[in-house]
Amino acid sequence: MSNVSKIKETKPTQCFSYEVVMLVHIIADNERNAKSQLDEKGGIVTKRDVKLVITTTLYGEEKDK
């Protein structure tokens, strides 16, 4: 007889990798300030294209549906 018992049901954890292409507008007086503002605060996103590249199971088991 074993004293080992299952503690918790495991659910799969996955990593979703996306390719994202965005068009971002920055209002500034010159390019250096615009780049700085983009890096620090972001900008106004007017277009965003998202594509799922790959999904990988990191933990748990994949189950057939």
Side-chain angles (χ1 to χ4, degrees), residues 4-20:
V4 178
S5 61
K6 193 172 187 176
I7 296 172
K8 184 179 177 183
E9 187 70 27
T10 59
K11 295 189 325 189
T13 300
Q14 299 179 336
C15 175
F16 298 88
S17 300
Y18 293 93
E19 176 183 323
V20 181

Side-chain angles (χ1 to χ4, degrees), residues 39-57:
D39 291 342
E40 292 174 16
K41 300 177 185 176
I44 303 164
V45 177
T46 58
K47 182 178 179 183
R48 187 176 89 157
D49 296 320
V50 179
K51 179 176 110 177
L52 179 63
V53 178
I54 191 168
T55 303
T56 305
T57 299

